[in-house]
Amino acid sequence: MATYVAHRLVQIVPVLLLVTMISFALMFVLPGDPALLILGDQVADREAYETLRTRLQLDRPLPLQYAAWLGKAVRGDLGTSTRDDSPVAGGIAERLPVTLELSALALLFAVSLALPAGIVSAVRPNSRVDVCCSVLSLGGAAVPHFWLGILLIYALGVATRLLPISGYVPFREDPLGNLTHMMMPATALGLGIAAILMRQVRSSLLEALGEDYVVTARAKGLSTAVVIARHALRNALIPVVTVLGLQVGRLFGGAVITETIFSLPGLGRWAVDSILWRDFSVVQAVCLVMALGVLLSNLAADLAYAWIDPRIRYRA
Amino acid sequence: MTDLTRRDLLGLGIGLAGSALLPAPGAAQQKPATGTAGTPRRGGSLIVLVQNDWTVLDPVFGGPPNGMEMIYDRWIRWEKDPKTGQWGPRPQMVAEWDLRAGTEVVLKLQRGIKFHDGTPWDAAAAKWNLDRMIFDPASRMRAYFGSVDTSRENAAELERLKQSAAQTFDYASKAVEVFDSYTVKLHLRAPNAPILSVLSPVVNYSYPVSPTAYRKLGKAAFNRSPVGAGPFRFVEWKSGSHVLLRRNPDYWQMGADDKPLPYLDEIRYRLVIDDSVRFLELRSGTAHFTELIQAKDAPTAKSDPQLVYLESQDSANAYRLTFDAANAASPFVREPALRLAFLHALDREAMARILGLGAGASLRYLLPKGSFAYDDSVPSHGHDRARAQTLVKQAVAANPSLAGPDGRVAVTLSVPERPVDKAVAEMIKQMADNVGFDVRIDALERAAMTSKVWGEKGQYHAAIMRNPVVAGDPDSQWSLFFHSKGFANVTHLREAAWDGLIDTARATTDTAKRKALYRQMAQRAYDQAWFGYLWQQNWNWVHARKVKNFVEPVADRWIFTEVWLE
C-alpha cells in the first residue's frame, strides 16, 4: 500500500506541470495588458509602460517567462504579486486556511445532512419522509448557492440577527466567533453538495438493502439499525465516497462566490481578483494549490475505498 | 470604458481666485464646528465598510483611499463653503500659501505637528515628501507635477533612480527648496493654477508620510506599516479582510472639549465587496458607515429610522461616451456627421430617470454645475431624434459604403462588464438603432476593456466610460480627457490646439480669462463631438444614526476626525 501511495504521489507531478502550463498559457490568451492595469494614471507615460513591462518580464517570449517562473517555483519561490509586490507564498499561507476551513465545514455539513437523510429515504422508500427529502434535495441542488447565501444573510443576519452577516475571525483569536462567522457560508456552500450526496446515499443504500446478504441478516433476526449500520451501509459507501471526492473541485469553485458574498479572505476570491487584474504570479500559484488539493482528495478517496472494503488492495 | 478608479479622476477643484492668496493664519487651529450634531462623546469603535481591497497603504503608490485619509493628514483640506456652495482649499498641514509669484509656490507649514513616530513636521520633512511625489519613478503623483521646473536637476541621479528598484528614496531636488524651518518653495516652469488642489485630498496620492519611518523600513515594509501624521495610527492590515486604526493621542488639532481630536477610539475598515451585503450590514447594525449603495436601495435607506442617507450634488459618477479618433476604419471617423447623429439620438433625461432611480441627473457638459467654469450658454448635443435620423440618411446617401445591405450603419459600442454600464449600453443601442445605426454591444471585463480603449492604438468605435467628478478646478477634467498627455485621453486626440488651450488656461490665475478659455474648449468639444455626456449617479453615503457630525467629504475621502458615536 505504501508503494502504491508513493507512486500516486509521484504521478501528481506531471499533472501539476500540465496544469501550470495550461493556466499560464490561458492567462496570456486572455485579452488585456497587466501593465496598463497597474499603471493607472501613468498610462500615458510610454516610458513608464515600457519600464514596467520589462520589470514584469512581459517583453520576454512566453516559454522563457514560464521557464523562469517554474525555475523559481521548484525552489519554493512563487514570486510576487504584480498588484502590490507582496510575496505570493505569504498570500497563500494567509488565505489557504480560510478556504480549507470553509470547504471542510461545508463538507461536514453536507455529510451530516446527507447521510441521515439518505438512510431514512432508503429505509422508507416512497414514504412521505422520502418524498420530502427528495424534494428538498432537488431544491438544494437547483438553488444557486450565492442566492442562498443572500437569503441566509437576510434571514439569519438581518431579520433575526442570530449570526454575523459577513467577515472572518481567525479560529485561534476567537473560536466561537470563527464558527459563528463560518456557519452561514458553510451552509450556503454545503447545501448543494448535501443534495447530491443524499441522492447517492439513498440510491446506493437502496441497492444494498436489496442484496441477498441483507435478507439473510434480517432472517437471522437482526434489527434494522444493525442491518444498516453493520452490513448495508458500508457496502453502499463506495459510490458515495466517489461522489464526495468529485465534489472537492466543486467546493473550490463554489468557495469563490461564497467568499465574495460573505467577505471571507480566502483563496477563491483572491484568485478571481488576480485573474481580473492579470496578476500572473498569483493565478499560477493558486491554480497549483487548487490542483494539488483536488489530486490529493482523489487519492484520499481511493485510499478510503480500501478502508471501507477490505477486499480492495492496491499494488504498485 | 474602464472605471478609472475614483481617486484617479476626481476633479482638481479649486476656488481659484481666493485660493491663490494666503488664507488667514491660524485658521487650521480653530475649534471644529459641531453645528446641530450635539455634544461630542469620546470613545467607541467605528465600523466602516469598504468595497475595494487594499493593495498599498503608501499613498504615493496608489490604491483606494479606504483609511489612508485618517492615517495621514492632509497638506491642504478641500471643503465646501456653506455660504457660497463652492469647494476650495483650506489650511491643514500647510497653514499658508502664496502663488502670487507665478512660478514659485510658497508653502508655510503648520507648526506643532508630529508624525506618529515622533518625527517633526517641518520644512525638511515637507521637502522630502514633495521630492518623493515628484521624482520617485513609481510615484503616482508625477503626472500631476508636470509643471515643476526640473531643468536644474541631476539627470544622472534621476536616471539611476529610474533604473534601480530602490527600496528607499534619497534624492534631494533643486526644484523644492527649504526656505526656513517651516517654509518650502516649489519652483515651476510655468504658473500652475490647480497646484493647490494637487496637494489636497482631491488627488489621493498626496498625503505626507514620515521620512524617518520610510527610510528605516524601506518601501515594501512601510507599505505594510504606514506612519503618517493623521488623527489615527495604523494598527493592523489583514489582506482581504480589514484595516484597523487607533486614535492618535498626540494629534495636533483640538476638539470642542479642548482635548485633542479625534473623539473615536478606533476605526475598523472592513472589506465587503457585495453592494447588497454592505447595505444589509448597515441595516442590521453591525456596521456604521458605507458609501455608494445602489440606487434601488436608496428609498429603503431614506425610510430606515436607524440610518442617515446623504446624497451629494457635487460629487457623482458620470457616465460618458467616447469615440476613437485613432481608428481610421470607424464609421465615426470616416464621417463626423455620424458622431453628431449618435449623440443627438440619445435621451439623457430618460437614462437618468430610469437608471438613476431618483439619484441621477442628465449631463450636458464635461464640467459639473458647481465648477466656476460651468457655462450653460455653450450648445450641447441634446436629444433630437429627427435631426439624428436626417444626419444618418445624409451621411449614407453621400457615402453608401458606410452602411450595410440593410442601409444601417453598423457600429460597436464597447462597455465594461458591469450591470449599470450594460444597461446604459442597452438604452443607447435602442435609441441609436431607431435613427439608423446597428449597434453591437461589446461587453468586456476590466483588463480587456482597458487594453481596447486605453491601448496605444485605437481599436474601438464608441465606448462608455464612468468617472467620478467633483465640482472644482476645470483643469483636471479638460487635461485628463483632451490633453495629448492626459491619461484619460481615450479618444486618442492629439491636437496641438487642444494642448495650447489647456496649457494656457492652466498657467493663468485670472479667473475671467480661464473661464473664457474653458468656454472655448467647451465649444470646440461640441463642434468636434468626440466626447458625449450621458448622465450621472450622485454620490451617496449611508451611516447609522448614532454616527454624529459626519460632513460631506470629497467623494470617497471620508474624514472621521470630528465624528463621534452616540
Side-chain angles (χ1 to χ4, degrees):
Chain A
M1 180 67 100
T3 318
Y4 170 77
V5 172
H7 271 244
R8 283 289 301 268
L9 288 173
V10 166
Q11 284 169 9
I12 282 176
V13 174
V15 176
L16 286 180
L17 209 60
L18 195 60
V19 165
T20 58
M21 271 188 222
I22 293 171
S23 63
F24 196 87
L26 281 175
M27 284 300 293
F28 282 93
V29 163
L30 285 176
D33 188 337
L36 286 179
L37 283 174
I38 293 166
L39 279 175
D41 48 9
Q42 287 184 291
V43 74
D45 186 340
R46 194 71 202 166
E47 203 181 334
Y49 173 74
E50 297 296 343
T51 304
L52 184 59
R53 281 188 64 84
T54 305
R55 183 170 76 81
L56 298 177
Q57 299 190 8
L58 296 174
D59 54 346
R60 302 175 79 192
L62 275 186
L64 287 181
Q65 289 186 46
Y66 176 74
W69 175 84
L70 191 64
K72 288 199 289 187
V74 296
R75 292 195 301 269
D77 178 6
L78 295 173
T80 54
S81 163
T82 54
R83 230 179 129 189
D84 61 11
D85 279 338
S86 61
V88 173
I92 300 241
E94 267 185 45
R95 291 168 170 82
L96 182 60
V98 179
T99 302
L100 284 178
E101 185 187 352
L102 174 64
S103 303
L105 288 173
L107 215 53
L108 186 66
F109 170 76
V111 171
S112 308
L113 195 63
L115 265 183
I119 291 169
V120 167
S121 290
V123 167
R124 295 179 189 171
N126 303 317
S127 66
R128 275 188 214 166
V129 172
D130 180 29
V131 169
C132 206
C133 286
S134 295
V135 168
L136 285 173
S137 78
L138 280 172
V143 163
H145 54 267
F146 61 85
W147 184 81
L148 180 62
I150 298 280
L151 202 65
L152 286 172
I153 285 172
Y154 188 78
L156 300 176
V158 180
T160 58
R161 304 198 183 187
L162 285 173
L163 293 172
I165 290 173
S166 67
Y168 177 76
V169 176
F171 187 83
R172 61 178 181 278
E173 277 182 27
D174 179 3
L176 188 62
N178 170 268
L179 290 173
T180 51
H181 276 85
M182 293 299 263
M183 277 175 74
M184 274 200 286
T187 304
L189 187 57
L191 195 67
I193 296 172
I196 295 169
L197 267 183
M198 178 254 153
R199 300 298 300 168
Q200 187 60 56
V201 167
R202 180 187 181 277
S203 150
S204 301
L205 192 55
L206 259 180
E207 193 181 325
L209 287 173
E211 294 289 333
D212 291 342
Y213 63 86
V214 171
V215 175
T216 308
R218 282 195 211 276
K220 285 194 314 185
L222 294 175
S223 67
T224 305
V226 170
V227 167
I228 292 170
R230 274 210 202 148
H231 298 282
L233 187 60
R234 197 154 170 170
N235 286 304
L237 275 182
I238 288 185
V240 174
V241 166
T242 305
V243 169
L244 204 57
L246 291 172
Q247 294 305 309
V248 170
R250 182 182 162 141
L251 270 177
F252 284 145
V256 169
I257 296 176
T258 311
E259 286 168 10
T260 301
I261 302 240
F262 291 96
S263 301
L264 302 175
L267 216 55
R269 199 180 80 198
W270 195 37
V272 171
D273 283 346
S274 301
I275 293 170
L276 293 175
W277 281 89
R278 303 295 189 269
D279 197 339
F280 300 107
S281 305
V282 173
V283 173
Q284 282 293 94
V286 172
C287 284
L288 187 68
V289 168
M290 289 198 170
L292 185 63
V294 171
L295 290 166
L296 289 176
S297 66
N298 285 343
L299 175 60
D302 289 342
L303 294 177
Y305 298 147
W307 176 71
I308 293 168
D309 188 347
R311 294 171 297 179
I312 296 175
R313 280 295 172 261
Y314 296 110
R315 281 177 298 192
Chain B
M1 175 56 215
T2 298
D3 172 22
L4 301 169
T5 57
R6 299 180 199 131
R7 72 188 185 286
D8 297 335
L9 287 180
L10 283 176
L12 304 178
I14 188 171
L16 190 61
S19 67
L21 303 177
L22 303 174
Q29 292 280 3
Q30 288 173 356
K31 281 189 193 168
T34 56
T36 56
T39 307
R41 286 185 60 182
R42 289 195 171 258
S45 173
L46 186 74
I47 313 275
V48 176
L49 302 182
V50 305
Q51 55 178 295
N52 292 312
D53 200 358
W54 300 268
T55 52
V56 293
L57 283 179
D58 186 341
V60 91
F61 300 124
N66 293 351
M68 283 202 269
E69 60 278 337
M70 289 289 93
I71 298 171
Y72 305 106
D73 213 333
R74 298 146 283 166
W75 293 84
I76 290 170
R77 295 204 314 272
W78 201 257
E79 288 178 354
K80 189 174 180 176
D81 186 326
K83 290 177 195 161
T84 64
Q86 278 210 341
W87 290 78
R90 303 283 180 274
Q92 188 68 8
M93 295 177 86
V94 172
E96 302 174 23
W97 50 79
D98 189 350
L99 306 182
R100 286 173 293 188
T103 55
E104 202 175 78
V105 178
V106 178
L107 303 173
K108 292 194 177 178
L109 307 178
Q110 181 66 41
R111 294 171 190 242
I113 298 178
K114 283 187 184 171
F115 291 95
H116 301 150
D117 60 356
T119 304
W121 170 244
D122 57 14
K127 175 179 164 56
W128 182 89
N129 273 282
L130 282 169
D131 282 342
R132 193 173 79 119
M133 287 198 288
I134 300 167
F135 295 105
D136 190 311
S139 163
R140 295 294 183 102
M141 289 296 293
R142 287 172 60 224
Y144 297 94
F145 283 104
S147 60
V148 169
D149 179 10
T150 57
S151 60
R152 296 177 299 150
E153 301 305 329
N154 185 331
E157 189 60 21
L158 288 177
E159 188 60 32
R160 180 195 67 80
L161 260 181
K162 220 186 275 184
Q163 300 304 331
S164 70
Q167 278 302 302
T168 186
F169 179 80
D170 54 8
Y171 179 73
S173 75
K174 301 269 191 310
V176 182
E177 179 195 338
V178 169
F179 185 73
D180 62 37
S181 303
Y182 287 95
T183 307
V184 289
K185 286 185 184 176
L186 177 61
H187 298 280
L188 307 176
R189 283 184 288 107
N192 186 328
I195 192 74
L196 288 181
S197 58
V198 170
L199 294 174
S200 78
V202 171
V203 175
N204 191 45
Y205 316 128
S206 65
Y207 303 111
V209 312
S210 163
T212 311
Y214 192 85
R215 286 185 184 116
K216 185 177 163 192
L217 293 170
K219 181 177 171 180
F222 182 86
N223 183 43
R224 303 296 300 198
S225 299
V227 178
F232 290 87
R233 296 184 183 197
F234 171 81
V235 174
E236 175 180 72
W237 171 16
K238 282 280 169 70
S239 294
S241 176
H242 66 270
V243 163
L244 177 63
L245 310 180
R246 210 153 277 148
R247 79 183 292 272
N248 173 16
D250 302 319
Y251 191 58
W252 62 284
Q253 284 193 294
M254 305 304 274
D257 53 5
D258 285 326
K259 293 180 193 163
L261 286 170
Y263 300 118
L264 295 166
D265 281 337
E266 66 177 33
I267 305 176
R268 180 179 288 264
Y269 296 85
R270 279 184 45 213
L271 177 66
V272 179
I273 296 173
D274 191 89
D275 291 342
S276 303
V277 175
R278 276 188 295 121
F279 186 51
L280 288 174
E281 287 258 22
L282 235 71
R283 288 185 65 194
S284 74
T286 52
H288 301 117
F289 181 94
T290 193
E291 69 166 9
L292 286 180
I293 60 168
Q294 292 180 6
K296 65 175 177 61
D297 293 325
T300 308
K302 287 175 190 171
S303 61
D304 190 326
Q306 297 306 316
L307 298 179
V308 173
Y309 174 85
L310 295 172
E311 189 177 301
S312 175
Q313 302 302 315
D314 301 321
S315 301
N317 268 327
Y319 289 85
R320 294 156 170 166
L321 186 75
T322 64
F323 301 102
D324 191 350
N327 186 353
S330 164
F332 295 118
V333 173
R334 292 166 60 197
E335 178 48 66
L338 290 177
R339 299 199 296 273
L340 287 174
F342 205 85
L343 293 173
H344 280 302
L346 306 181
D347 185 349
R348 292 150 186 82
E349 294 292 335
M351 280 187 203
R353 191 175 61 247
I354 292 166
L355 299 173
L357 294 174
S362 62
L363 285 176
R364 290 173 61 197
Y365 305 110
L366 184 70
L367 300 178
K369 281 185 183 165
S371 170
F372 79 88
Y374 179 83
D375 188 345
D376 60 8
S377 68
V378 177
S380 64
H381 300 107
H383 182 220
D384 188 340
R385 185 174 157 173
R387 184 163 182 226
Q389 279 175 324
T390 305
L391 284 167
V392 174
K393 277 189 187 138
Q394 286 172 349
V396 172
N399 186 352
S401 68
L402 286 171
D406 57 358
R408 304 166 78 75
V409 180
V411 295
T412 303
L413 178 63
S414 302
V415 60
E417 182 67 60
R418 282 188 304 236
V420 176
D421 299 67
K422 289 202 293 187
V424 173
E426 290 291 344
M427 289 190 77
I428 289 176
K429 175 181 163 60
Q430 195 181 42
M431 294 169 189
D433 284 357
N434 282 342
V435 302
F437 289 96
D438 179 14
V439 177
R440 185 180 75 87
I441 296 173
D442 188 17
L444 300 164
E445 52 91 29
R446 186 191 183 103
M449 187 74 185
T450 303
S451 284
K452 187 171 188 181
V453 178
W454 282 19
E456 180 65 16
K457 290 178 186 168
Q459 301 163 57
Y460 70 96
H461 292 172
I464 291 172
M465 60 193 303
R466 186 188 82 186
N467 320 111
V469 284
V470 177
D473 193 283
D475 176 73
S476 67
Q477 297 288 305
W478 286 110
S479 60
L480 283 173
F481 293 110
F482 289 90
H483 198 285
S484 60
K485 291 180 186 168
F487 76 84
N489 186 343
V490 296
T491 55
H492 301 113
L493 272 178
R494 305 274 188 260
E495 292 184 1
W498 272 114
D499 289 2
L501 277 172
I502 293 167
D503 290 341
T504 305
R506 183 188 297 152
T508 177
T509 55
D510 184 327
T511 309
K513 241 187 217 175
R514 292 189 85 208
K515 197 167 173 180
L517 284 165
Y518 290 122
R519 194 191 187 288
Q520 272 188 58
M521 290 183 215
Q523 183 67 53
R524 188 180 175 84
Y526 169 78
D527 294 336
Q528 291 188 333
W530 287 110
F531 208 90
Y533 316 108
L534 304 176
W535 72 286
Q536 70 180 39
Q537 181 190 3
N538 296 335
W539 213 278
N540 67 62
W541 305 269
V542 182
H543 63 76
R545 200 160 284 279
K546 65 197 286 190
V547 176
K548 296 298 180 188
N549 206 33
F550 175 73
V551 175
E552 178 184 339
V554 173
D556 55 355
R557 317 292 193 258
W558 315 317
I559 304 299
F560 301 116
T561 313
E562 296 165 40
V563 160
W564 68 86
L565 289 172
E566 212 165 56

